[in-house]
Amino acid sequence: MVASSVLGFPRQGVLRDLKKATEAYWAGKISQSDLLAEGKRLRLAHWKIMKDAGVDIIPSNDFAYYDHVLDHIQLFNAIPDRYSKHGLDTIDQYFAMGRGHQKDGIDVPSLEMVKWFDSNYHYVKPTFQDNQTFKLADDPKPVRHFLEAKEAGITTRPVILGPVSFLHLGKADRGQSVQPIDLLDKLLPVYVELLEALKKAGVEDVQIDEPILVFDLPPKVKEAFKPAYEKLSGDFLPRLLLATYFGDIVHNLDVLPSIQHLYGLHIDLVRNPEQLESIVSQLGPQQILSAGVVDGRNIWKTNFKRAIEIVESTIQKVGKERVIVATSSSLLHVPHTLDSEKKLDPEVKDWFAFAVQKVSEVVVIAKAVTEGPAAVREELEANAKSMAARASSKRTNNQSVKDRLAKVNDEMHNRQSPFPERHSQQKEHLKLPTFPTTTIGSFPQTSEIRIQRNKFTKGEITEEEYNKFIENEIDQVIKIQDELDLDVYVHGEPERNDMVQYFGERLDGYVFTTHAWVQSYGSRCVRPPIIVGDISRPAPMTVKESKYAASKSKKPMKGMLTGPITCLRWSFPRDDIHQSVQAQQLALALRDEVVDLESAGIYVIQVDEPALREGLPLRTGRERENYLSWAVDAFKLATSGVKDSTQIHSHFCYSEFQDFFHAIAALDADVLSIENSKSDAKLLQVFVDTAYPRHIGPGVYDIHSPRVPSEQEMKDRVAEMRRYLRPDQLWINPDCGLKTRQWKETKEALTNMVNAAKFYREKTATA
Ligand SMILES: CN1c2c(nc(N)[nH]c2=O)NC[C@@H]1CNc1ccc(C(=O)N[C@@H](CCC(=O)N[C@@H](CCC(=O)N[C@@H](CCC(=O)O)C(=O)O)C(=O)O)C(=O)O)cc1
Ligand SMILES: N[C@@H](CCS)C(=O)O
Ligand SMILES: [Zn+2]
């Protein structure tokens, strides 16, 4: 029999129940036990969905209140002193690491949070000390959750992050120099202890994730697998199925023979079906292959015919008893259920599968290969019909979009003049002081804004009333920026539900959902729009609000757009045409918007590309350069239609550019704002090494945390930046937009930020 398996399930629940409970707990509206009870309810509900669907191998310990990597930090007691010394309750200490803690006399910023591989999910980075020790938590969560499921009559396979990935995905704490992988010997005994405890609780198999095997790894990290997995195997421990996802592991094949004593291996055959042959050739004679054929990263229905062919070919190679049919990765990255979507056009709804539907898909595929296609004939026929309908739909063939694309030429990718000429015109035109201050676009999305938007969506208020409300919000935001004395203003983005969803809702070729939420970080979720066809812009998308704001402000107003790559990456993209074509279609739509903004009197335009980096293929080499080439072209196509005197900004909320700086430079943006407050200012060295000529605003404070940094902290940060950047080059801004913050902390933090900028402005003037 071929077993079916799911690598992980979304945590939030049908209506983002976990988000609501967590935020209510933070706000002091529910108790700790209420929150824990809600977590338990959700876990049980999700296990039951999988059990009722007939899944053979159901995951546990995939649930996390904030982030699963953070769970492991606490599980192994890799908790920096600054969090452990206050005697906080376990869960509060956990949230303090995730989001910072600033109350009851405790003031500690969060740990760094970064992208999980090439997804839009963020994990909390393990942060190690030179004298790091590890200790297994009392009552370890993987054991507790396994027993919880068992009590409900559900046998699960716990998921844990493997020791090599846990270390490699971490970093040395600020001021420390330890190389995380050197901590392996100290960490392994704690893994053994955990596995022993799991075995004692009745666990037979564990899914141990080592996703870093998809990267190009330093030799030292590669060599760490052998000793690690030797120590983690033995009759006294559960059997281990090592899981990889989001890429192929063929380049790390030489690691596999060293871990032959593993029970099995999981590989992603959605991304890289071609790796099957090589992997199978390295499997030991008894080892299981878990074939990831149901996409954990996108919402398209699985093509059963294709998936069954892959599984059948695996069976031919290793035999039925050694194959598992699985999701390609955890389903964390897809929304909960399609059943909640009552407004989707039935034509496209028939093309989609969310987590609940994907759970059934693995069961159908496993049954098809176990019992033969006749056992699931109806499902196979319906699936073939959906595939055919999608392939022949009119949505995917818009001739006018194709015609316009054919006319794109090189000239359309370049600004009229090089930067020095543009800069002198912009200087004349905008008259900005040194160390100009600005924000990244969004101001707090208050519950009042969300309530009014919700009322408008439901038809409870008219468009006129909603527009009036938005204008009033813009008025307020301008008044506050006047009071703060910022230099380049923004309109605050009150009309936007999300920086990608908003554009998806205004472009042809997209559909959007009502409940299809996906966790982005902590309690924050996004509702990615879905690209179903060729993209075009039926009408201006942002001009009305920006024009209104500009008419009310005395300082330059920055127009605010989401760039083509970010629109692509944070949507669910099509899988029937190359992403470069989708990016080009988006770029042309945005180019029209940029030109329309300029015509409306907006002379500073920011085109956000925070997703540019996460789109980088995970391995270095030709594939990466190819991506960067079309991604940079898309940005330039979107932004090059304006005059020299119009200043193009771009924004990235990450600080690691080292591996693709040439692409950032090639964007030719007049001003870049980047995240920098939580990373080492040394990362700015790349701007020095490359003699980067244009302007940069490295964020001076972290916006993910409610904590307000003092004026002195920001001055210190600016002082560090000044070691790398020329005074005439440096802008002062936060790390990212302020939509998740409250007004009180926003005003306080920005006051400190503007004061820090003024301090340096005066100092430079008198020097
Ligand atoms: C900058 N980032 C973004 C990423 N991806 C995106 N797609 N967008 C981003 O901005 N990736 C990297 C980072 C991640 N950062 C964030 C930051 C903030 C959020 C966030 O705040 N998400 C919100 C949801 C946003 C949204 O769409 N809001 C809707 C309201 C929807 C809603 O809650 N409706 C209620 C009813 C209304 C009410 O009564 O409040 C309901 O449906 O129940 C809107 O504004 O209209 C979040 O709350 O999690 C995400 C990623
Ligand atoms: N303009 C957006 C960028 C977020 S990455 C914002 O300010 O929210
Ligand atoms: Zn950002």
Side-chain angles (χ1 to χ4, degrees), residues 303-376:
N303 182 326
F304 280 163
K305 186 167 171 290
R306 206 181 307 147
I308 290 170
E309 275 167 15
I310 295 175
V311 179
E312 290 287 9
S313 112
T314 317
I315 290 173
Q316 271 172 19
K317 293 176 179 40
V318 302
K320 240 181 200 169
E321 297 311 313
R322 288 175 54 205
V323 176
I324 296 174
V325 171
T327 55
S328 65
S329 65
S330 164
L331 296 174
L332 178 64
H333 311 281
V334 295
H336 187 97
T337 178
L338 193 54
D339 294 340
S340 302
E341 297 306 321
K342 308 292 183 208
K343 292 191 183 155
L344 267 181
D345 181 335
E347 185 200 4
V348 294
K349 190 170 176 182
D350 179 53
W351 304 346
F352 304 155
F354 295 174
V356 169
Q357 290 69 40
K358 283 170 189 277
V359 161
S360 296
E361 288 187 343
V362 283
V363 175
V364 171
I365 298 167
K367 199 164 175 193
V369 294
T370 303
E371 299 174 24
V376 284

Coordinates of all heavy atoms in Angstrom, one line a residue, residues 303-376:
N303 N -2.5 18.4 -11.0 CA -2.8 17.7 -12.2 C -2.6 16.2 -11.9 O -1.5 15.7 -11.8 CB -1.8 18.1 -13.4 CG -2.1 17.4 -14.7 OD1 -2.5 16.3 -14.7 ND2 -1.9 18.1 -15.8
F304 N -3.7 15.5 -11.7 CA -3.6 14.1 -11.2 C -2.8 13.2 -12.1 O -2.1 12.3 -11.7 CB -5.0 13.5 -10.9 CG -5.6 13.9 -9.6 CD1 -7.0 13.8 -9.4 CD2 -4.9 14.5 -8.6 CE1 -7.6 14.2 -8.2 CE2 -5.4 14.9 -7.4 CZ -6.8 14.7 -7.2
K305 N -3.1 13.4 -13.4 CA -2.5 12.5 -14.4 C -0.9 12.6 -14.3 O -0.2 11.6 -14.2 CB -2.9 13.0 -15.8 CG -2.4 12.1 -16.9 CD -3.2 12.4 -18.2 CE -2.6 11.7 -19.4 NZ -1.2 12.2 -19.8
R306 N -0.5 13.9 -14.2 CA 1.0 14.1 -14.1 C 1.5 13.6 -12.8 O 2.6 12.9 -12.7 CB 1.3 15.6 -14.3 CG 2.7 15.8 -14.8 CD 3.1 17.3 -14.9 NE 2.1 18.1 -15.7 CZ 1.8 19.4 -15.4 NH1 2.4 20.0 -14.4 NH2 0.9 20.0 -16.1
A307 N 0.8 13.9 -11.7 CA 1.3 13.4 -10.4 C 1.4 11.9 -10.3 O 2.3 11.3 -9.8 CB 0.4 14.0 -9.3
I308 N 0.3 11.3 -10.8 CA 0.3 9.8 -10.8 C 1.4 9.2 -11.6 O 2.1 8.2 -11.2 CB -1.1 9.3 -11.2 CG1 -2.1 9.6 -10.1 CG2 -1.1 7.8 -11.5 CD1 -3.6 9.4 -10.5
E309 N 1.7 9.8 -12.7 CA 2.8 9.4 -13.5 C 4.1 9.4 -12.7 O 4.9 8.5 -12.8 CB 3.0 10.2 -14.8 CG 2.1 9.8 -15.9 CD 2.0 10.8 -17.0 OE1 2.9 11.8 -17.1 OE2 1.1 10.7 -17.8
I310 N 4.3 10.5 -12.0 CA 5.6 10.6 -11.2 C 5.6 9.6 -10.1 O 6.6 8.9 -9.9 CB 5.7 12.0 -10.6 CG1 5.8 13.1 -11.7 CG2 6.9 12.1 -9.6 CD1 5.8 14.5 -11.2
V311 N 4.5 9.4 -9.5 CA 4.5 8.4 -8.4 C 4.7 7.0 -8.9 O 5.5 6.2 -8.4 CB 3.2 8.5 -7.5 CG1 3.2 7.4 -6.4 CG2 3.0 9.9 -6.9
E312 N 4.0 6.7 -10.1 CA 4.2 5.4 -10.7 C 5.6 5.1 -11.1 O 6.2 4.0 -10.9 CB 3.3 5.3 -12.0 CG 1.8 5.2 -11.7 CD 1.3 3.9 -11.1 OE1 2.2 3.1 -10.7 OE2 0.1 3.7 -11.0
S313 N 6.3 6.2 -11.6 CA 7.7 6.0 -12.0 C 8.5 5.8 -10.8 O 9.5 5.0 -10.8 CB 8.1 7.1 -12.9 OG 9.1 7.9 -12.3
T314 N 8.2 6.4 -9.7 CA 8.9 6.1 -8.4 C 8.7 4.7 -8.0 O 9.7 4.0 -7.6 CB 8.4 7.1 -7.3 OG1 8.3 8.4 -7.8 CG2 9.4 7.1 -6.1
I315 N 7.5 4.2 -8.1 CA 7.2 2.9 -7.6 C 7.9 1.9 -8.5 O 8.5 0.9 -8.0 CB 5.6 2.6 -7.8 CG1 4.9 3.4 -6.7 CG2 5.3 1.1 -7.6 CD1 3.4 3.4 -6.8
Q316 N 8.0 2.2 -9.8 CA 8.8 1.2 -10.6 C 10.2 1.1 -10.2 O 10.8 0.1 -10.3 CB 8.7 1.7 -12.1 CG 7.5 1.2 -12.8 CD 7.4 1.9 -14.2 OE1 8.4 2.5 -14.7 NE2 6.2 1.8 -14.8
K317 N 10.7 2.2 -9.7 CA 12.1 2.2 -9.3 C 12.4 1.5 -8.0 O 13.4 0.9 -7.8 CB 12.7 3.6 -9.3 CG 12.7 4.3 -10.7 CD 13.2 5.7 -10.5 CE 13.3 6.5 -11.8 NZ 12.3 6.4 -12.9
V318 N 11.5 1.8 -7.0 CA 11.8 1.3 -5.7 C 10.8 0.3 -5.1 O 11.0 -0.3 -4.0 CB 12.0 2.5 -4.7 CG1 13.1 3.4 -5.1 CG2 10.7 3.2 -4.4
G319 N 9.6 0.2 -5.8 CA 8.6 -0.7 -5.2 C 7.6 0.0 -4.4 O 7.9 1.0 -3.7
K320 N 6.3 -0.6 -4.4 CA 5.2 0.1 -3.8 C 5.4 0.4 -2.3 O 5.0 1.4 -1.8 CB 4.0 -0.8 -4.0 CG 2.9 -0.1 -4.7 CD 1.7 -1.0 -4.9 CE 0.8 -0.4 -6.0 NZ -0.2 -1.2 -6.5
E321 N 6.0 -0.6 -1.7 CA 6.1 -0.5 -0.2 C 7.0 0.6 0.3 O 7.0 0.9 1.4 CB 6.6 -1.9 0.4 CG 5.6 -3.0 0.1 CD 4.2 -2.7 0.5 OE1 4.0 -2.1 1.6 OE2 3.3 -2.9 -0.3
R322 N 7.8 1.1 -0.7 CA 8.8 2.1 -0.3 C 8.4 3.5 -0.7 O 9.3 4.4 -0.7 CB 10.2 1.7 -0.8 CG 10.7 0.5 0.0 CD 12.0 0.1 -0.6 NE 13.0 1.1 -0.7 CZ 14.0 1.2 -1.6 NH1 14.2 0.2 -2.4 NH2 14.8 2.2 -1.6
V323 N 7.2 3.7 -1.1 CA 6.8 5.0 -1.6 C 5.7 5.6 -0.7 O 4.7 4.9 -0.4 CB 6.3 5.0 -3.1 CG1 5.8 6.3 -3.6 CG2 7.5 4.5 -4.0
I324 N 5.8 6.9 -0.5 CA 4.7 7.7 0.2 C 4.3 8.8 -0.8 O 5.2 9.4 -1.4 CB 5.2 8.3 1.5 CG1 5.6 7.2 2.5 CG2 4.2 9.2 2.1 CD1 6.3 7.7 3.8
V325 N 3.0 9.1 -0.8 CA 2.6 10.2 -1.6 C 2.4 11.4 -0.7 O 1.7 11.3 0.3 CB 1.2 9.9 -2.3 CG1 0.6 11.2 -2.9 CG2 1.4 8.8 -3.4
A326 N 3.0 12.5 -1.0 CA 3.0 13.6 0.0 C 2.8 15.0 -0.6 O 2.9 15.1 -1.8 CB 4.3 13.6 0.8
T327 N 2.5 16.0 0.2 CA 2.6 17.4 -0.2 C 4.0 17.7 -0.4 O 4.9 17.1 0.2 CB 1.9 18.3 0.8 OG1 2.6 18.1 2.1 CG2 0.5 18.0 1.0
S328 N 4.3 18.7 -1.3 CA 5.7 19.0 -1.6 C 6.4 19.6 -0.4 O 7.6 19.4 -0.2 CB 5.8 19.9 -2.8 OG 5.2 21.1 -2.5
S329 N 5.7 20.3 0.4 CA 6.2 21.0 1.6 C 5.0 21.0 2.6 O 4.0 20.5 2.3 CB 6.6 22.4 1.2 OG 5.5 23.2 0.8
S330 N 5.2 21.7 3.7 CA 4.1 22.0 4.6 C 3.1 22.8 3.8 O 3.4 23.6 2.9 CB 4.6 22.8 5.7 OG 3.5 23.4 6.4
L331 N 1.8 22.7 4.2 CA 0.7 23.5 3.5 C 0.6 24.8 4.2 O -0.4 25.6 3.9 CB -0.6 22.7 3.6 CG -0.6 21.4 2.8 CD1 -1.9 20.6 3.0 CD2 -0.4 21.6 1.3
L332 N 1.5 25.2 5.0 CA 1.5 26.5 5.7 C 1.4 27.7 4.7 O 0.9 28.7 5.1 CB 2.9 26.6 6.4 CG 3.2 27.8 7.2 CD1 2.3 28.0 8.3 CD2 4.7 27.7 7.7
H333 N 1.8 27.4 3.5 CA 1.9 28.5 2.5 C 0.7 28.7 1.7 O 0.6 29.5 0.8 CB 3.2 28.3 1.7 CG 4.4 28.0 2.5 ND1 5.1 29.0 3.2 CD2 5.0 26.9 2.9 CE1 6.0 28.5 3.9 NE2 6.0 27.2 3.7
V334 N -0.3 27.9 1.9 CA -1.6 28.0 1.2 C -2.7 28.3 2.1 O -2.7 27.9 3.3 CB -1.9 26.8 0.3 CG1 -0.8 26.6 -0.8 CG2 -2.0 25.5 1.1
P335 N -3.8 28.9 1.6 CA -5.0 29.2 2.5 C -5.7 27.9 3.0 O -5.5 26.8 2.5 CB -5.9 30.0 1.7 CG -5.2 30.3 0.4 CD -4.1 29.4 0.3
H336 N -6.5 28.1 4.0 CA -7.1 27.0 4.7 C -8.0 26.1 3.8 O -7.8 25.0 3.5 CB -7.8 27.5 6.0 CG -8.4 26.4 6.9 ND1 -7.7 26.0 8.0 CD2 -9.5 25.7 6.8 CE1 -8.4 25.0 8.6 NE2 -9.5 24.8 7.9
T337 N -9.1 26.8 3.4 CA -10.1 26.0 2.6 C -10.8 26.8 1.5 O -11.2 27.9 1.7 CB -11.2 25.3 3.4 OG1 -12.0 24.6 2.5 CG2 -12.0 26.2 4.3
L338 N -10.9 26.2 0.4 CA -11.6 26.8 -0.8 C -13.1 27.0 -0.5 O -13.8 27.8 -1.0 CB -11.4 26.0 -2.0 CG -11.8 26.5 -3.4 CD1 -11.1 27.8 -3.7 CD2 -11.4 25.4 -4.4
D339 N -13.6 26.1 0.5 CA -15.1 26.2 0.8 C -15.5 27.5 1.3 O -16.7 27.9 1.2 CB -15.4 25.1 1.8 CG -15.2 23.7 1.3 OD1 -15.2 23.6 0.0 OD2 -15.0 22.8 2.1
S340 N -14.6 28.3 1.9 CA -15.0 29.6 2.4 C -15.2 30.6 1.3 O -15.7 31.7 1.6 CB -13.9 30.1 3.3 OG -13.7 29.3 4.4
E341 N -14.8 30.3 0.1 CA -14.8 31.3 -1.0 C -16.2 31.3 -1.7 O -16.5 30.5 -2.6 CB -13.7 31.1 -2.0 CG -12.3 31.2 -1.4 CD -12.1 32.6 -0.8 OE1 -12.6 33.6 -1.3 OE2 -11.5 32.6 0.3
K342 N -17.1 32.2 -1.2 CA -18.5 32.1 -1.8 C -18.6 33.1 -3.0 O -19.6 33.0 -3.7 CB -19.5 32.6 -0.7 CG -19.4 31.8 0.6 CD -19.8 30.3 0.4 CE -19.7 29.6 1.8 NZ -19.4 28.2 1.7
K343 N -17.6 33.9 -3.2 CA -17.8 34.9 -4.3 C -17.0 34.7 -5.5 O -17.0 35.4 -6.5 CB -17.5 36.3 -3.7 CG -18.4 36.8 -2.7 CD -18.2 38.3 -2.4 CE -19.2 38.7 -1.3 NZ -18.6 39.9 -0.6
L344 N -16.1 33.6 -5.5 CA -15.3 33.4 -6.6 C -16.1 32.9 -7.8 O -17.0 32.1 -7.7 CB -14.3 32.2 -6.3 CG -12.9 32.6 -5.7 CD1 -12.1 31.4 -5.5 CD2 -12.2 33.6 -6.7
D345 N -15.7 33.4 -9.0 CA -16.3 32.9 -10.2 C -16.1 31.4 -10.3 O -15.0 30.9 -10.2 CB -15.6 33.6 -11.4 CG -16.1 33.3 -12.7 OD1 -16.7 32.2 -12.8 OD2 -15.9 34.1 -13.7
P346 N -17.2 30.7 -10.5 CA -17.1 29.2 -10.5 C -16.1 28.7 -11.5 O -15.4 27.7 -11.3 CB -18.5 28.7 -10.8 CG -19.4 29.8 -10.6 CD -18.6 31.1 -10.6
E347 N -15.9 29.5 -12.6 CA -15.0 29.0 -13.7 C -13.6 28.8 -13.0 O -12.9 27.8 -13.2 CB -14.9 30.0 -14.8 CG -14.0 29.5 -15.9 CD -13.4 30.5 -16.9 OE1 -13.7 31.7 -16.7 OE2 -12.8 30.1 -17.9
V348 N -13.1 29.9 -12.3 CA -11.8 29.8 -11.8 C -11.7 29.0 -10.5 O -10.7 28.3 -10.2 CB -11.1 31.2 -11.6 CG1 -10.9 31.9 -12.9 CG2 -11.9 32.0 -10.6
K349 N -12.8 29.0 -9.7 CA -12.8 28.3 -8.4 C -12.5 26.8 -8.7 O -11.8 26.1 -8.0 CB -14.2 28.4 -7.8 CG -14.2 27.9 -6.4 CD -15.5 28.3 -5.6 CE -15.5 27.7 -4.3 NZ -16.7 28.0 -3.5
D350 N -13.0 26.3 -9.8 CA -12.8 24.9 -10.2 C -11.3 24.6 -10.5 O -10.9 23.5 -10.6 CB -13.6 24.7 -11.5 CG -13.4 23.2 -12.0 OD1 -13.6 22.3 -11.2 OD2 -13.1 23.1 -13.2
W351 N -10.5 25.6 -10.6 CA -9.0 25.4 -10.9 C -8.2 25.3 -9.7 O -7.0 25.0 -9.7 CB -8.5 26.5 -11.8 CG -9.2 26.8 -13.1 CD1 -10.1 26.0 -13.7 CD2 -9.1 27.9 -13.9 NE1 -10.6 26.5 -14.8 CE2 -9.9 27.8 -15.0 CE3 -8.3 29.1 -13.9 CZ2 -10.1 28.7 -16.1 CZ3 -8.4 30.0 -14.9 CH2 -9.3 29.8 -16.0
F352 N -8.8 25.7 -8.5 CA -8.0 25.9 -7.3 C -8.1 24.7 -6.3 O -9.2 24.0 -6.2 CB -8.4 27.1 -6.5 CG -8.3 28.4 -7.3 CD1 -9.1 29.5 -7.0 CD2 -7.5 28.5 -8.4 CE1 -9.1 30.7 -7.7 CE2 -7.4 29.7 -9.2 CZ -8.2 30.8 -8.8
A353 N -7.1 24.5 -5.5 CA -7.2 23.7 -4.3 C -6.4 24.3 -3.2 O -5.2 24.7 -3.4 CB -6.5 22.3 -4.6
F354 N -7.0 24.6 -2.0 CA -6.4 25.1 -0.9 C -6.0 23.9 0.1 O -6.1 22.8 -0.4 CB -7.3 26.1 -0.2 CG -7.6 27.4 -1.0 CD1 -8.5 28.3 -0.5 CD2 -7.0 27.6 -2.2 CE1 -8.8 29.5 -1.2 CE2 -7.3 28.8 -3.0 CZ -8.2 29.7 -2.5
A355 N -5.6 24.2 1.3 CA -5.0 23.2 2.1 C -6.0 22.0 2.3 O -5.6 20.8 2.1 CB -4.6 23.7 3.5
V356 N -7.2 22.3 2.7 CA -8.2 21.2 2.9 C -8.3 20.3 1.6 O -8.4 19.1 1.7 CB -9.5 21.7 3.4 CG1 -10.6 20.6 3.4 CG2 -9.4 22.3 4.8
Q357 N -8.4 21.0 0.5 CA -8.5 20.2 -0.8 C -7.3 19.5 -1.1 O -7.3 18.4 -1.6 CB -8.9 21.2 -1.9 CG -10.3 21.8 -1.8 CD -10.4 22.8 -0.7 OE1 -9.5 23.6 -0.4 NE2 -11.6 22.8 0.0
K358 N -6.1 20.0 -0.8 CA -4.9 19.4 -1.1 C -4.7 18.1 -0.2 O -4.1 17.1 -0.7 CB -3.7 20.3 -0.9 CG -3.5 21.3 -2.1 CD -2.5 22.4 -1.8 CE -2.6 23.4 -2.9 NZ -1.8 23.1 -4.1
V359 N -5.2 18.2 1.0 CA -5.2 17.0 1.8 C -5.9 15.8 1.1 O -5.5 14.7 1.1 CB -5.9 17.4 3.2 CG1 -6.3 16.1 3.9 CG2 -5.0 18.2 4.0
S360 N -7.1 16.2 0.5 CA -7.8 15.1 -0.2 C -7.1 14.7 -1.4 O -7.1 13.5 -1.8 CB -9.2 15.6 -0.6 OG -9.9 15.9 0.5
E361 N -6.3 15.6 -2.0 CA -5.6 15.2 -3.3 C -4.5 14.1 -3.0 O -4.4 13.2 -3.8 CB -4.9 16.4 -3.9 CG -5.9 17.4 -4.5 CD -5.3 18.5 -5.3 OE1 -4.1 18.8 -5.1 OE2 -5.9 19.2 -6.1
V362 N -3.8 14.3 -1.9 CA -2.8 13.2 -1.6 C -3.5 11.9 -1.4 O -2.9 10.9 -1.8 CB -1.8 13.6 -0.4 CG1 -0.8 14.6 -0.7 CG2 -2.6 13.9 0.8
V363 N -4.6 11.9 -0.8 CA -5.3 10.7 -0.5 C -5.8 10.0 -1.9 O -5.6 8.8 -2.1 CB -6.6 10.9 0.4 CG1 -7.4 9.6 0.6 CG2 -6.1 11.4 1.8
V364 N -6.3 10.8 -2.8 CA -6.8 10.3 -4.1 C -5.6 9.7 -4.8 O -5.7 8.6 -5.4 CB -7.4 11.4 -4.9 CG1 -7.7 11.0 -6.3 CG2 -8.7 11.9 -4.2
I365 N -4.5 10.4 -4.8 CA -3.3 10.0 -5.6 C -2.8 8.7 -5.0 O -2.5 7.7 -5.7 CB -2.2 11.0 -5.7 CG1 -2.7 12.3 -6.4 CG2 -0.9 10.5 -6.4 CD1 -1.8 13.5 -6.2
A366 N -2.7 8.6 -3.7 CA -2.2 7.4 -3.0 C -3.2 6.2 -3.4 O -2.7 5.1 -3.6 CB -2.1 7.6 -1.5
K367 N -4.5 6.5 -3.4 CA -5.4 5.4 -3.7 C -5.3 5.0 -5.1 O -5.4 3.8 -5.4 CB -6.8 6.0 -3.4 CG -7.9 4.9 -3.2 CD -9.1 5.5 -2.6 CE -10.2 4.4 -2.5 NZ -11.5 4.8 -2.2
A368 N -5.1 6.0 -6.0 CA -5.0 5.6 -7.4 C -3.8 4.7 -7.7 O -3.9 3.7 -8.5 CB -4.8 6.9 -8.3
V369 N -2.7 4.9 -7.0 CA -1.5 4.1 -7.3 C -1.6 2.8 -6.4 O -0.9 1.8 -6.8 CB -0.2 4.8 -7.0 CG1 0.0 5.9 -8.0 CG2 -0.1 5.4 -5.6
T370 N -2.4 2.8 -5.4 CA -2.4 1.6 -4.6 C -3.5 0.6 -5.2 O -3.2 -0.6 -5.4 CB -2.9 1.9 -3.1 OG1 -2.0 2.8 -2.6 CG2 -2.9 0.7 -2.2
E371 N -4.6 1.1 -5.5 CA -5.7 0.2 -5.9 C -6.0 0.3 -7.4 O -6.8 -0.5 -7.9 CB -7.0 0.7 -5.2 CG -6.9 0.5 -3.7 CD -8.1 1.1 -3.0 OE1 -9.2 1.1 -3.6 OE2 -8.0 1.5 -1.8
G372 N -5.3 1.2 -8.1 CA -5.5 1.3 -9.5 C -6.5 2.5 -9.8 O -7.3 2.8 -8.9
P373 N -6.4 3.1 -11.0 CA -7.2 4.3 -11.3 C -8.7 4.1 -11.2 O -9.5 5.0 -10.8 CB -6.9 4.6 -12.8 CG -5.8 3.6 -13.2 CD -5.6 2.7 -12.1
A374 N -9.2 2.9 -11.4 CA -10.6 2.6 -11.3 C -11.2 3.0 -9.9 O -12.4 3.4 -9.8 CB -10.9 1.2 -11.7
A375 N -10.4 2.8 -8.9 CA -10.9 3.1 -7.6 C -11.2 4.6 -7.3 O -11.9 4.9 -6.4 CB -9.8 2.7 -6.6
V376 N -10.6 5.4 -8.2 CA -10.9 6.9 -8.0 C -11.3 7.5 -9.4 O -11.0 8.6 -9.7 CB -9.7 7.6 -7.4 CG1 -9.5 7.4 -5.9 CG2 -8.4 7.3 -8.1

